[in-house]
Amino acid sequence: MSNEESPMSVVEEDSCWGYLDTALVGRLATSIDDQPQIFPVNYVVDGLSIVFRTAPGSKLDEIVRNSAVAFEADGWSEDGGWSVVLRGRAELIIDPDELALCEKMPLRPWVPTVKKNWVRIQPGQISGRTFAFGPEPTDK
């Protein structure tokens, strides 16, 4: 199969942000006690960064200790799908002016818990792919 016929294609960086802006849920990957952990989070794209809210706990504690994270989101339809992975640094937002802006973002907790901590993921690298769904290839 030639590259033109490939059911998978690389997404340019600018388009990766566009795809991320269409999803409501992503997965935050970090390490807790030297073990990989993945947390589903609802988020917003803020410029060229990801912002989410969190309550105190293991996720927040680990981000403070080890800011290296990965973030992944994807989407699909009947015809195909996409996946974007961002690797970067997570930082707790503490600046009062920036927190005031965060409060205006369309980002509310899904469950009735208090999530007063805002976290920003600054990207180091971002990559994405799209996938065209179709029939399984034959050996002919």
Side-chain angles (χ1 to χ4, degrees):
M1 183 177 278
S2 72
N3 284 343
E4 291 176 13
E5 299 171 0
S6 175
M8 182 175 56
S9 61
V10 173
V11 175
E12 296 295 323
E13 183 175 331
D14 288 349
S15 295
C16 286
W17 289 104
Y19 280 111
L20 285 174
D21 204 26
T22 66
L24 301 175
V25 179
R27 283 155 295 285
L28 175 72
T30 187
S31 175
I32 297 176
D33 297 327
D34 292 326
Q35 296 296 313
Q37 296 291 321
I38 297 176
F39 301 94
V41 295
N42 61 324
Y43 69 95
V44 294
V45 172
D46 184 35
L48 296 180
S49 69
I50 298 292
V51 174
F52 66 92
R53 297 171 74 153
T54 189
S58 58
K59 180 179 10 173
L60 183 60
D61 292 346
E62 189 55 38
I63 288 169
V64 170
R65 279 194 296 270
N66 175 14
S67 65
V69 298
F71 181 84
E72 188 268 345
D74 48 40
W76 60 91
S77 68
E78 282 187 26
D79 300 322
W82 59 269
S83 179
V84 173
V85 175
L86 181 150
R87 291 170 187 84
R89 298 269 176 211
E91 57 189 31
L92 188 60
I93 299 171
I94 57 173
D95 178 73
D97 293 334
E98 192 171 0
L99 287 170
L101 292 173
C102 288
E103 289 293 339
K104 295 177 183 177
M105 291 180 179
L107 186 60
R108 300 294 168 248
W110 286 349
V111 294
T113 58
V114 177
K115 294 186 175 183
K116 293 185 177 183
N117 300 290
W118 294 82
V119 177
R120 179 178 307 282
I121 302 174
Q122 297 286 0
Q125 62 184 170
I126 186 170
S127 61
R129 294 194 172 148
T130 58
F131 309 93
F133 300 156
E136 289 188 41
T138 62
D139 291 335
K140 294 182 183 182

